[in-house]
Amino acid sequence: IAPSILSADFVNLERDIRKLSETGVDYVHVDVMDGHFVPNISFGSSVMKSLLGKTNLPFDVHLMIEQPERYVEQFRDAGADIITVHQEAAIHLHRVLGQIKGTGAKCGVVLNPATPVCMVENVLDDVDMILLMSVNPGFGGQAFIPGTIEKIKKLKAMIGDRNIEIEIDGGVSDKNAALLTEAGANVLVMGSAVFNAENPSELIREAKCLR
Ligand code: DX5
Ligand code: ZN
Protein backbone atom coordinates (compact mmCIF):
# COMPACT_ATOMS: atom_id res chain seq x y z
CA ILE A 1 0.00 0.00 0.00
CA ALA A 2 1.38 3.42 -0.98
CA PRO A 3 -0.55 6.30 0.59
CA SER A 4 -0.39 9.54 -1.39
CA ILE A 5 0.56 12.59 0.67
CA LEU A 6 -1.31 14.77 -1.82
CA SER A 7 -4.31 14.03 0.43
CA ALA A 8 -2.40 14.72 3.67
CA ASP A 9 -2.80 17.80 5.84
CA PHE A 10 -0.10 20.09 4.40
CA VAL A 11 0.00 22.09 7.63
CA ASN A 12 0.85 18.88 9.52
CA LEU A 13 2.87 16.86 7.06
CA GLU A 14 5.35 15.62 9.69
CA ARG A 15 2.50 14.44 11.92
CA ASP A 16 0.75 12.70 9.03
CA ILE A 17 3.95 11.03 7.80
CA ARG A 18 4.72 9.76 11.30
CA LYS A 19 1.14 8.46 11.65
CA LEU A 20 1.43 6.71 8.27
CA SER A 21 4.59 4.94 9.44
CA GLU A 22 2.54 3.22 12.16
CA THR A 23 -0.26 1.98 9.90
CA GLY A 24 1.60 -0.83 8.14
CA VAL A 25 1.94 0.86 4.74
CA ASP A 26 4.87 0.07 2.44
CA TYR A 27 5.72 3.27 0.57
CA VAL A 28 5.01 6.99 0.77
CA HIS A 29 3.58 8.02 -2.62
CA VAL A 30 4.74 11.56 -3.50
CA ASP A 31 2.60 13.19 -6.20
CA VAL A 32 4.65 15.89 -7.94
CA MET A 33 2.60 18.12 -10.24
CA ASP A 34 3.88 21.00 -12.38
CA GLY A 35 0.68 22.68 -13.58
CA HIS A 36 1.63 21.88 -17.19
CA PHE A 37 1.47 18.11 -17.63
CA VAL A 38 -1.51 18.13 -15.22
CA PRO A 39 -3.89 21.00 -14.35
CA ASN A 40 -2.63 21.29 -10.73
CA ILE A 41 0.56 22.24 -8.87
CA SER A 42 1.50 20.25 -5.75
CA PHE A 43 5.03 20.37 -4.29
CA GLY A 44 8.68 20.03 -5.30
CA SER A 45 11.77 18.19 -4.08
CA SER A 46 12.41 20.66 -1.24
CA VAL A 47 9.14 19.68 0.48
CA MET A 48 10.03 16.00 0.11
CA LYS A 49 13.55 16.65 1.43
CA SER A 50 12.02 18.19 4.58
CA LEU A 51 10.32 14.83 5.26
CA LEU A 52 13.56 12.83 5.17
CA GLY A 53 14.32 11.34 8.56
CA LYS A 54 10.63 11.56 9.55
CA THR A 55 9.95 8.04 8.25
CA ASN A 56 11.84 4.89 7.23
CA LEU A 57 9.30 4.24 4.48
CA PRO A 58 10.63 4.38 0.89
CA PHE A 59 9.57 7.44 -1.15
CA ASP A 60 7.69 6.41 -4.29
CA VAL A 61 7.87 9.59 -6.39
CA HIS A 62 5.28 10.02 -9.15
CA LEU A 63 6.45 12.78 -11.51
CA MET A 64 3.43 14.30 -13.23
CA ILE A 65 5.64 16.86 -14.92
CA GLU A 66 6.86 17.76 -18.39
CA GLN A 67 10.56 17.12 -19.14
CA PRO A 68 11.00 14.80 -16.13
CA GLU A 69 14.65 14.24 -17.20
CA ARG A 70 15.37 17.73 -15.84
CA TYR A 71 14.40 16.73 -12.26
CA VAL A 72 15.55 13.12 -11.79
CA GLU A 73 18.79 13.91 -9.94
CA GLN A 74 17.06 16.59 -7.83
CA PHE A 75 14.45 14.14 -6.57
CA ARG A 76 17.00 11.39 -6.03
CA ASP A 77 19.11 13.82 -3.96
CA ALA A 78 15.94 14.70 -2.02
CA GLY A 79 15.52 11.03 -1.04
CA ALA A 80 13.47 9.37 -3.79
CA ASP A 81 13.76 5.55 -3.69
CA ILE A 82 11.55 5.00 -6.75
CA ILE A 83 10.97 7.56 -9.53
CA THR A 84 8.16 7.02 -12.02
CA VAL A 85 7.73 9.15 -15.14
CA HIS A 86 4.78 9.42 -17.50
CA GLN A 87 5.25 7.76 -20.89
CA GLU A 88 3.20 10.67 -22.28
CA ALA A 89 5.71 13.23 -20.92
CA ALA A 90 8.96 11.45 -21.76
CA ILE A 91 10.07 12.10 -25.33
CA HIS A 92 13.03 9.74 -24.78
CA LEU A 93 11.54 7.24 -22.34
CA HIS A 94 14.28 4.60 -22.62
CA ARG A 95 16.92 7.26 -21.95
CA VAL A 96 15.21 8.75 -18.86
CA LEU A 97 14.68 5.28 -17.37
CA GLY A 98 18.44 4.69 -17.67
CA GLN A 99 19.04 8.13 -16.16
CA ILE A 100 16.90 7.21 -13.12
CA LYS A 101 18.65 3.87 -12.67
CA GLY A 102 22.00 5.68 -12.95
CA THR A 103 21.13 7.62 -9.78
CA GLY A 104 20.62 4.34 -7.87
CA ALA A 105 16.83 4.77 -7.63
CA LYS A 106 14.34 2.22 -8.93
CA CYS A 107 12.58 3.35 -12.12
CA GLY A 108 9.04 3.10 -13.42
CA VAL A 109 6.70 4.21 -16.20
CA VAL A 110 3.23 5.65 -15.67
CA LEU A 111 0.39 5.25 -18.20
CA ASN A 112 -2.64 7.54 -18.25
CA PRO A 113 -6.06 5.88 -18.57
CA ALA A 114 -6.21 6.36 -22.35
CA THR A 115 -2.65 5.14 -23.02
CA PRO A 116 -2.54 1.46 -24.09
CA VAL A 117 -0.20 -0.97 -22.29
CA CYS A 118 1.61 -1.69 -25.57
CA MET A 119 3.37 1.66 -25.06
CA VAL A 120 5.67 0.01 -22.48
CA GLU A 121 6.30 -3.11 -24.59
CA ASN A 122 9.87 -2.11 -25.45
CA VAL A 123 11.01 -1.09 -21.98
CA LEU A 124 9.82 -4.12 -19.98
CA ASP A 125 13.44 -5.17 -19.42
CA ASP A 126 14.37 -1.69 -18.18
CA VAL A 127 11.76 -0.99 -15.49
CA ASP A 128 11.17 -2.01 -11.87
CA MET A 129 7.58 -0.76 -11.75
CA ILE A 130 4.69 0.12 -14.09
CA LEU A 131 2.04 2.46 -12.71
CA LEU A 132 -1.43 2.41 -14.29
CA MET A 133 -3.50 5.53 -13.63
CA SER A 134 -7.07 4.63 -12.70
CA VAL A 135 -8.09 8.31 -12.75
CA ASN A 136 -7.00 11.19 -14.96
CA PRO A 137 -3.97 12.63 -13.13
CA GLY A 138 -4.05 15.92 -11.24
CA PHE A 139 -6.26 15.45 -8.21
CA GLY A 140 -7.04 13.12 -5.32
CA GLY A 141 -10.59 12.01 -4.50
CA GLN A 142 -11.69 11.11 -8.06
CA ALA A 143 -13.76 8.09 -9.12
CA PHE A 144 -12.01 4.87 -10.13
CA ILE A 145 -12.12 4.14 -13.89
CA PRO A 146 -13.49 0.56 -14.16
CA GLY A 147 -11.71 -0.29 -17.43
CA THR A 148 -8.46 -0.34 -15.42
CA ILE A 149 -9.17 -3.93 -14.31
CA GLU A 150 -8.89 -5.33 -17.85
CA LYS A 151 -5.81 -3.15 -18.41
CA ILE A 152 -4.11 -4.71 -15.37
CA LYS A 153 -4.76 -8.21 -16.71
CA LYS A 154 -3.37 -7.28 -20.12
CA LEU A 155 -0.25 -5.73 -18.55
CA LYS A 156 0.24 -8.72 -16.25
CA ALA A 157 0.19 -11.05 -19.26
CA MET A 158 2.71 -8.85 -21.10
CA ILE A 159 5.08 -8.76 -18.12
CA GLY A 160 5.21 -12.55 -17.83
CA ASP A 161 7.71 -13.66 -15.15
CA ARG A 162 9.71 -10.43 -15.14
CA ASN A 163 10.25 -8.88 -11.68
CA ILE A 164 8.09 -5.78 -12.28
CA GLU A 165 5.63 -4.35 -9.73
CA ILE A 166 2.25 -3.21 -11.07
CA GLU A 167 1.06 -0.12 -9.16
CA ILE A 168 -2.49 1.24 -9.45
CA ASP A 169 -3.14 4.90 -8.71
CA GLY A 170 -6.40 6.78 -8.34
CA GLY A 171 -9.77 6.05 -6.73
CA VAL A 172 -8.41 2.99 -4.92
CA SER A 173 -9.87 1.93 -1.57
CA ASP A 174 -10.65 -1.18 0.46
CA LYS A 175 -13.80 -1.44 -1.66
CA ASN A 176 -11.88 -2.35 -4.88
CA ALA A 177 -8.53 -3.55 -3.48
CA ALA A 178 -9.41 -7.24 -3.89
CA LEU A 179 -10.44 -6.79 -7.53
CA LEU A 180 -7.17 -5.02 -8.29
CA THR A 181 -4.88 -7.55 -6.58
CA GLU A 182 -6.75 -10.49 -8.12
CA ALA A 183 -6.23 -8.87 -11.54
CA GLY A 184 -2.48 -8.71 -10.84
CA ALA A 185 -1.75 -5.43 -9.03
CA ASN A 186 1.08 -5.50 -6.44
CA VAL A 187 1.05 -1.92 -5.11
CA LEU A 188 -2.06 0.16 -4.42
CA VAL A 189 -1.86 3.93 -4.11
CA MET A 190 -4.48 5.33 -1.76
CA GLY A 191 -4.85 9.04 -1.05
CA SER A 192 -8.31 10.13 0.09
CA ALA A 193 -9.25 6.59 1.22
CA VAL A 194 -6.42 6.59 3.77
CA PHE A 195 -6.47 10.21 4.89
CA ASN A 196 -10.28 10.29 5.23
CA ALA A 197 -10.46 6.93 7.01
CA GLU A 198 -11.76 6.78 10.59
CA ASN A 199 -9.16 4.10 11.31
CA PRO A 200 -6.39 4.05 8.67
CA SER A 201 -4.65 1.04 10.22
CA GLU A 202 -7.88 -0.96 9.96
CA LEU A 203 -8.31 0.11 6.33
CA ILE A 204 -4.74 -0.92 5.47
CA ARG A 205 -5.14 -4.28 7.18
CA GLU A 206 -8.37 -4.93 5.30
CA ALA A 207 -6.86 -3.91 1.95
CA LYS A 208 -3.85 -6.16 2.53
CA CYS A 209 -5.53 -9.29 3.85
CA LEU A 210 -7.64 -9.30 0.67
CA ARG A 211 -4.51 -10.42 -1.25
C1 DX5 B 1 -3.57 11.77 -9.01
C2 DX5 B 1 -2.44 11.15 -8.19
C3 DX5 B 1 -2.95 10.06 -7.28
C4 DX5 B 1 -3.97 10.60 -6.27
C5 DX5 B 1 -4.58 9.43 -5.51
O1 DX5 B 1 -3.02 12.55 -10.04
O2 DX5 B 1 -1.48 10.57 -9.03
O3 DX5 B 1 -1.85 9.48 -6.57
O4 DX5 B 1 -3.32 11.45 -5.35
O5 DX5 B 1 -5.60 9.99 -4.69
P1 DX5 B 1 -6.96 9.13 -4.48
O6 DX5 B 1 -6.51 7.81 -3.86
O7 DX5 B 1 -7.76 9.98 -3.53
O8 DX5 B 1 -7.58 8.95 -5.82
ZN1 ZN C 1 0.15 9.40 -7.96
Side-chain angles (χ1 to χ4, degrees), residues 9-22:
D9 173 358
F10 286 2
V11 179
N12 293 288
L13 265 186
E14 177 176 6
R15 178 204 67 192
D16 281 3
I17 281 274
R18 287 196 193 285
K19 269 170 48 181
L20 274 188
S21 308
E22 290 134 34

Side-chain angles (χ1 to χ4, degrees), residues 29 31 62 64 169:
H29 187 77
D31 281 315
H62 176 190
M64 287 165 275
D169 188 4

Side-chain angles (χ1 to χ4, degrees), residues 4 6 29-33 60-64 84 86 110 131 133 137 167 169-170 189:
S4 163
L6 186 71
H29 187 77
V30 182
D31 281 315
V32 180
M33 300 178 179
D60 162 34
V61 179
H62 176 190
L63 294 181
M64 287 165 275
T84 58
H86 272 260
V110 192
L131 196 164
M133 291 305 299
E167 184 171 31
D169 188 4
V189 175

Side-chain angles (χ1 to χ4, degrees), residues 24-44:
V25 297
D26 305 281
Y27 297 108
V28 174
H29 187 77
V30 182
D31 281 315
V32 180
M33 300 178 179
D34 66 358
H36 292 277
F37 181 70
V38 290
N40 193 4
I41 298 176
S42 59
F43 33 66

Side-chain angles (χ1 to χ4, degrees), residues 19 22 103 111 168 195:
K19 269 170 48 181
E22 290 134 34
T103 68
L111 297 180
I168 309 303
F195 287 99

